[in-house]
Amino acid sequence: MMGKRTSIDSRIRVEHMERQLANLTGLVQKALTQTPTPREYLQVPPPASSRDANYRNAASDEYDKHSSSSSASLPDKSVSFEKSVSFSDEPPDMNSPKQHSPQHAESKPTTTTTTTTHIHNTSNHPTQHKQAAFRTMVHRLLNIPMNQQDYNEELNTIKYTVQENGYNPNIIDNIIRKTKQNHKKQKNTTQTQEHKKYITLTYENKNTHKIATSFKKLNYNIAYRTNNTLQKHLNTQTTQTNKYNHTGVYKLKCNTCNNFYIGQTGRSFQTRYKEHITAIMKLQNTSTYAEHITNANHTYRDINTDMEILHIQPKSQKLNTLEQYEIYRHTKTHPNDILNTQLNFKTHTLFDSTLRTHPHRKQETPRPTTTSSEDDRK
């Protein structure tokens, strides 16, 4: 008798557990089949009065359910459990609306992807940082193709965003005006630079600006450079090179009279001097200086005495210009002593301006001509 009663109590406990499992299964199925409302998505709590009333109703319903189930018979309880829980081995039907989760429901509300929140006007950020987002909006407004209606709508949206962050909407009009001015200025600058030429001048003193003014009138852009570079101060281990191994403009002087010859060479000065001496020795007419020595029966000495280096310059167009300048300068100062043929021009505006601003530093004086009687007196 005692063992039979114990088995009955065990069965009651098992049935109670099955009943709780059936209730839980029913709640899960209800959640899967019922479509949540937007209020449930937003998780807005109901008013306090209705929330308390619902809680009391749910508690009373749960109490009535447990009390009624305790008085029910055993077979009836097992049948109700079989209706609530299915232990079938068949795969679930995925096309059934019960199998879809709430996040796939068509009534899911969409969330906004834009915001009007930016750096507020009352913040301590720099002004450029505050308006950076607005300049980006203006850049997009001006560069994306759109009709006038879309343009006005986008402009109103930007001004609304500006106002929401504590700014005056008129700053958008100022940003648009400045942006258009900068684009126009850059376009004009690019077109102007395509037609301009550039030239580099070595800056020596304020007179260099006067020379630069002459070039600017000819539509040249001027760039200044200096010979006083840091490399000259750091490079202490300089090797002494022979100055006659360079190329440039030179001046050959007659050892007997005051005549001289101005020339240029793309080879070394030493090589060019040897060519003049060879022409004298072979009586060739390949050198104006050699013709003068030969025809006048004058003498020469050596490269250190006869040759004066005026400019050291590699072979280029600048070398030709320097030679013309030196011939022009010596023609103005010593017109009767220069052996070069006269230039094609009598005046040169640029050369005259250079002579006025950069007078020759060393005053050239004619060398006295020595005669045999003078040598005898010495």
Side-chain angles (χ1 to χ4, degrees):
M1 188 71 180
M2 193 70 177
K4 186 177 181 180
R5 182 172 186 147
T6 303
S7 63
I8 293 174
D9 295 339
S10 299
R11 290 178 62 184
I12 292 174
R13 286 194 297 270
V14 171
E15 291 173 359
H16 182 68
M17 295 176 61
E18 291 176 351
R19 191 181 303 112
Q20 291 181 348
L21 180 61
N23 294 333
L24 181 61
T25 304
L27 293 175
V28 172
Q29 290 180 351
K30 183 179 180 181
L32 294 176
T33 57
Q34 183 180 0
T35 303
T37 62
R39 186 178 184 87
E40 293 174 342
Y41 273 112
L42 299 175
Q43 297 181 357
V44 178
S49 59
S50 62
R51 186 166 61 247
D52 296 340
N54 293 336
Y55 176 78
R56 288 194 298 269
N57 294 334
S60 61
D61 293 342
E62 186 70 19
Y63 177 79
D64 295 339
K65 186 185 296 184
H66 284 293
S67 61
S68 61
S69 62
S70 61
S71 59
S73 60
L74 181 61
D76 294 338
K77 287 181 285 187
S78 61
V79 171
S80 64
F81 170 72
E82 290 175 357
K83 291 181 179 180
S84 302
V85 183
S86 176
F87 293 95
S88 175
D89 295 334
E90 296 179 0
D93 185 9
M94 298 306 296
N95 295 325
S96 174
K98 296 182 180 181
Q99 304 297 334
H100 291 281
S101 58
Q103 62 267 23
H104 297 293
E106 295 181 357
S107 60
K108 180 180 178 181
T110 57
T111 58
T112 180
T113 58
T114 59
T115 179
T116 59
T117 304
H118 297 281
I119 301 178
H120 201 270
N121 190 24
T122 58
S123 67
N124 294 326
H125 289 76
T127 305
Q128 296 296 328
H129 293 185
K130 291 180 181 180
Q131 299 181 4
F134 306 143
R135 287 194 298 271
T136 302
M137 295 178 185
V138 170
H139 178 77
R140 181 182 63 185
L141 176 67
L142 297 178
N143 289 275
I144 295 180
M146 63 182 72
N147 54 33
Q148 188 63 35
Q149 181 180 358
D150 295 338
Y151 179 89
N152 295 334
E153 291 180 359
E154 183 69 16
L155 180 60
N156 293 334
T157 302
I158 296 174
K159 289 186 176 181
Y160 172 77
T161 303
V162 170
Q163 188 173 6
E164 286 294 311
N165 289 272
Y167 300 91
N168 187 351
N170 292 332
I171 67 173
I172 297 300
D173 296 331
N174 295 334
I175 294 176
I176 293 176
R177 178 177 53 81
K178 291 181 180 179
T179 304
K180 291 182 177 180
Q181 289 179 354
N182 292 335
H183 289 173
K184 184 177 180 181
K185 184 177 180 181
Q186 290 177 359
K187 184 178 180 180
N188 295 335
T189 303
T190 304
Q191 294 177 353
T192 304
Q193 289 179 352
E194 292 177 355
H195 302 285
K196 279 196 173 184
K197 300 179 181 180
Y198 296 85
I199 191 171
T200 305
L201 297 178
T202 302
Y203 188 86
E204 295 184 2
N205 49 41
K206 62 182 181 179
N207 294 325
T208 309
H209 292 287
K210 298 181 180 180
I211 301 177
T213 304
S214 302
F215 283 104
K216 288 181 180 179
K217 293 179 180 179
L218 300 175
N219 200 24
Y220 280 92
N221 282 344
I222 307 299
Y224 297 99
R225 64 183 177 186
T226 179
N227 290 327
N228 188 19
T229 60
L230 184 61
Q231 182 181 3
K232 291 185 177 181
H233 297 279
L234 296 179
N235 190 11
T236 56
Q237 298 179 356
T238 56
T239 57
Q240 296 294 334
T241 58
N242 187 0
K243 62 180 180 178
Y244 297 108
N245 291 332
H246 296 285
T247 62
V249 182
Y250 62 90
K251 176 181 178 182
L252 274 179
K253 295 173 286 188
C254 178
N255 189 45
T256 306
C257 63
N258 295 326
N259 291 343
F260 57 86
Y261 172 79
I262 304 296
Q264 62 150 314
T265 176
R267 300 179 297 276
S268 64
F269 293 113
Q270 188 172 2
T271 301
R272 184 55 180 155
Y273 180 77
K274 289 180 180 180
E275 292 175 353
H276 285 288
I277 301 304
T278 302
I280 296 174
M281 297 176 63
K282 293 183 179 182
L283 302 178
Q284 297 175 351
N285 296 328
T286 57
S287 169
T288 305
Y289 178 76
E291 290 180 5
H292 169 74
I293 297 295
T294 303
N295 296 334
N297 198 19
H298 288 178
T299 60
Y300 62 91
R301 302 182 96 179
D302 52 50
I303 189 172
N304 295 321
T305 305
D306 299 337
M307 178 174 283
E308 178 184 353
I309 298 176
L310 301 179
H311 299 280
I312 296 178
Q313 176 67 31
K315 189 174 182 179
S316 60
Q317 183 61 34
K318 184 177 180 180
L319 181 61
N320 298 332
T321 304
L322 289 174
E323 181 190 24
Q324 293 179 3
Y325 169 71
E326 290 297 336
I327 295 175
Y328 184 82
R329 180 172 70 87
H330 285 82
T331 302
K332 294 293 184 181
T333 55
H334 301 82
N336 299 325
D337 297 333
I338 187 170
L339 297 175
N340 298 77
T341 57
Q342 299 299 322
L343 297 175
N344 295 330
F345 48 85
K346 295 182 179 180
T347 59
H348 196 286
T349 305
L350 181 60
F351 288 168
D352 290 336
S353 176
T354 305
L355 289 175
R356 287 193 299 268
T357 56
H358 292 74
H360 194 52
R361 298 177 182 177
K362 184 167 57 176
Q363 183 68 27
E364 297 182 1
T365 56
R367 291 182 299 173
T369 303
T370 59
T371 59
S372 58
S373 58
E374 291 177 354
D375 294 338
D376 294 337
R377 284 195 299 270
K378 291 181 179 180

